[in-house]
Amino acid sequence: MNTQAQAAAPVRATDGFTILAYAVQFFFGGWFLFHGLNYFLAFFPQPPGSSVLTHEFIGALIDSGIFGVVKGIEVATGVAFLANRFVPLAAVAAFPVSFSIAYINFVANGDALSVLVSILVIGFNGIIALGHLDRFLPMLAFDQGDPGARGLKQFFGGR
Amino acid sequence: MRPWVHLLCIVGGITAPIGLTLLTTSSGGARSAAHYAAIDQQAMSAREVMQAFEKLAFDEHKPVEAIERYFSPDFVDHDPDVKGDRASVIARMKTLNWDHGGPRRTIRHLIAEGDIVVIHHHLVRNPGERGIAAVDIFRVERGKIVEHWDVLQPVPERSINPAPMF
């Protein structure tokens, strides 16, 4: 693989935002890894939700089996954040989980801690993504042009 | 990032959320076991609440604990033999003979529809008594019993009806 991302020189600057983004990234990574692994290894009882609605929602996720997928994403992205590898990809992959956590905490629970969690989880995911915004800028093209094999060639080592 | 800094970041990144989780899930935390137990109870159906109450109060002979756990503080009882609030029901329960085998309830029918649960049962307050055919009607809201009505009919010594009461 020889992508443009790899070809670009890694950023070494340690300004305030870099330190903030790193702090958030490692905290967020530890948070996702710990709570993701807890589903499989049961360090402590799986929180059943802090309202009747979230209780039923989480129960439905568990019964349908998709909660395992969600927790798998938490583990994978948590490892990526802590390893400081594939961080832009992990920020994107974690976002649907973060949004769901934020939504259910804010809308269904609504207590002070839940509102704080919903703000933090979106804020943290957003800060991590903003720290690598340059990786996402090509996606923000208004006129993206025609599709082609350029990306495939780059991905598999061509020019 | 230097390797030792990265290692410190990993350690800090893992320990900080674990510490916060332990803090919030401790007995005084906002996500304590008691908090989740209350949510579990709120999520119970009316039938499940009544079955849990019956089990704790009558099977395990812990009526006061059962009333405090499953009766709302705003509970209203329509039984004319009590004042009607939760405290009066607790006081009434304490007068019953819990230490010598009674009271004993044998549930014959339990019907739940929406927030209403109807329990038809045979109540024997003291061992050796014929007891009472009783119908208790409960209304349940968010995991708590909020209202109660009852109809009691003593089991007679003799009956002209060949069919038994239960």
Side-chain angles (χ1 to χ4, degrees):
Chain A
M1 261 191 323
N2 183 19
T3 63
Q4 275 189 331
Q6 284 178 315
V11 176
R12 294 296 184 196
T14 52
D15 56 23
F17 187 75
T18 302
I19 293 169
L20 172 69
Y22 266 137
V24 165
Q25 174 186 320
F26 283 101
F27 181 86
F28 195 69
W31 179 5
F32 264 38
L33 180 62
F34 177 58
H35 285 272
L37 283 178
N38 183 58
Y39 175 73
F40 302 104
L41 304 177
F43 307 125
F44 66 96
Q46 172 64 43
S50 288
S51 69
V52 173
L53 186 58
T54 48
H55 187 283
E56 292 170 350
F57 178 68
I58 291 173
L61 290 178
I62 291 171
D63 291 345
S64 66
I66 202 164
F67 205 56
V69 176
V70 172
K71 291 298 173 181
I73 292 171
E74 286 186 12
V75 171
T77 54
V79 167
F81 290 136
L82 290 173
N84 200 27
R85 292 289 181 267
F86 299 107
V87 171
L89 174 64
V92 172
F95 189 76
V97 177
S98 298
F99 181 80
S100 301
I101 293 170
Y103 185 87
I104 204 73
N105 270 277
F106 194 87
V107 174
N109 292 352
D111 62 289
L113 183 59
S114 297
V115 170
L116 179 65
V117 167
S118 65
I119 293 169
L120 288 179
V121 72
I122 286 291
F124 286 172
N125 206 150
I127 288 171
I128 295 168
L130 285 175
H132 296 280
L133 183 62
D134 54 325
R135 307 293 186 192
F136 305 122
L137 285 177
M139 290 196 300
L140 303 180
F142 176 71
D143 182 4
Q144 72 290 326
D146 297 325
R150 299 181 302 276
L152 284 170
K153 286 176 183 172
Q154 285 177 6
F155 189 79
F156 289 109
R159 290 285 175 182
Chain B
M1 183 181 286
R2 293 190 176 101
W4 67 270
V5 176
H6 189 184
L7 187 63
L8 278 178
C9 288
I10 291 172
V11 172
I14 291 174
T15 54
I18 290 176
L20 280 174
T21 300
L22 293 176
L23 188 68
T24 54
T25 56
S26 64
S27 59
R31 294 292 181 265
S32 65
H35 164 79
Y36 287 123
I39 299 296
D40 281 342
Q41 187 175 329
Q42 287 178 29
M44 290 165 73
S45 67
R47 173 188 289 271
E48 289 170 334
V49 170
M50 287 316 310
Q51 287 173 327
F53 170 75
E54 292 284 336
K55 182 173 183 292
L56 185 60
F58 292 98
D59 296 351
E60 299 176 20
H61 280 205
K62 295 175 180 173
V64 175
E65 187 179 333
I67 291 170
E68 287 174 344
R69 184 180 300 180
Y70 294 106
F71 279 39
S72 165
D74 302 325
F75 170 77
V76 174
D77 199 328
H78 297 272
D79 181 351
D81 293 336
V82 294
K83 280 179 66 179
D85 58 2
R86 190 171 78 162
S88 67
V89 177
I90 291 174
R92 172 75 179 278
M93 283 288 194
K94 284 180 174 175
T95 65
L96 301 178
N97 184 16
W98 293 94
D99 296 330
H100 298 92
R104 184 165 50 84
R105 281 156 74 104
T106 307
I107 295 176
R108 302 295 178 172
H109 302 96
L110 191 154
I111 304 157
E113 185 172 313
D115 60 353
I116 297 290
V117 180
V118 178
I119 301 177
H120 173 222
H121 60 95
H122 183 195
L123 171 63
V124 178
R125 290 194 171 128
N126 291 293
E129 293 180 350
R130 277 186 298 279
I132 299 167
V135 175
D136 282 303
I137 304 168
F138 299 92
R139 190 166 65 84
V140 180
E141 271 183 8
R142 294 173 59 85
K144 296 281 188 184
I145 300 163
V146 294
E147 208 164 0
H148 169 246
W149 302 260
D150 60 2
V151 183
L152 307 176
Q153 181 181 21
V155 177
E157 189 175 346
R158 292 179 184 170
S159 169
I160 60 170
N161 188 341
M165 289 189 77
F166 298 103

